Amino acid sequence: MKQIKLKAIIRISTSRGSFSAGETFEIAEDIAKKLIKAGYAKMIEPLSVTQTSEGSVEIKPEKELGKLKVEELKELAEALGFDAGDLKKADLIKKIIEEAKKEDAFSGILEMKADEIRAYLGE
């Protein structure tokens, strides 16, 4: 199973040990999702950038989220804690970006490429 690097927001006790607020650790992806959703930890992701001869260029979340299928976006919306309902794809992408900016634990999603988001969702 894929290991996810997290940073504890509060003191956490798991089968892998105890972690103080601010401490970083790696844990199985399924457990990581639960800790993030509960607000106990946040993801630590390396900044995803495209290297060019002029330097680094930040990823545009709208473009990367646009590469995902609506079903994947709805799954991501659920992970962020809101019901996507009947939102159209463009509106759903805007809402995901808004919610991810509000939720510090999910801010790393806005720096991921589409395939990294799929891996996060367990695709």
Side-chain angles (χ1 to χ4, degrees):
M1 173 155 286
K2 183 178 175 184
Q3 296 288 305
I4 304 292
K5 190 177 264 191
L6 299 178
K7 183 175 185 178
I9 295 173
I10 62 170
R11 183 164 174 72
I12 302 171
S13 292
T14 70
S15 59
R16 301 250 352 244
S18 294
F19 308 99
S20 300
E23 188 175 349
T24 59
F25 60 98
E26 286 191 19
I27 198 156
E29 185 175 15
D30 59 333
I31 297 170
K33 286 181 182 180
K34 291 175 185 175
L35 292 172
I36 291 168
K37 188 166 182 117
Y40 299 154
K42 64 180 180 177
M43 282 191 326
I44 298 176
E45 290 289 333
L47 182 62
S48 297
V49 294
T50 304
Q51 296 293 323
T52 65
S53 59
E54 294 84 31
S56 300
V57 178
E58 282 190 42
I59 289 179
K60 300 203 182 303
E62 296 89 353
K63 183 177 178 182
E64 293 302 318
L65 290 170
K67 294 177 184 177
L68 300 177
K69 297 176 185 172
V70 173
E71 295 81 29
E72 293 170 321
L73 291 170
K74 287 185 176 184
E75 188 176 342
L76 185 55
E78 184 178 323
L80 286 166
F82 74 92
D83 181 23
D86 292 332
L87 289 175
K88 293 184 179 185
K89 187 172 183 176
D91 295 330
L92 184 53
I93 290 170
K94 287 179 189 175
K95 179 77 172 168
I96 287 172
I97 292 169
E98 286 173 19
E99 293 297 318
K101 287 180 181 178
K102 283 189 223 175
E103 297 290 331
D104 190 41
F106 290 99
S107 61
I109 289 173
L110 300 179
E111 299 170 352
M112 292 181 179
K113 293 184 179 181
D115 57 340
E116 294 171 324
I117 295 171
R118 284 188 185 101
Y120 170 76
L121 293 173
E123 297 283 314

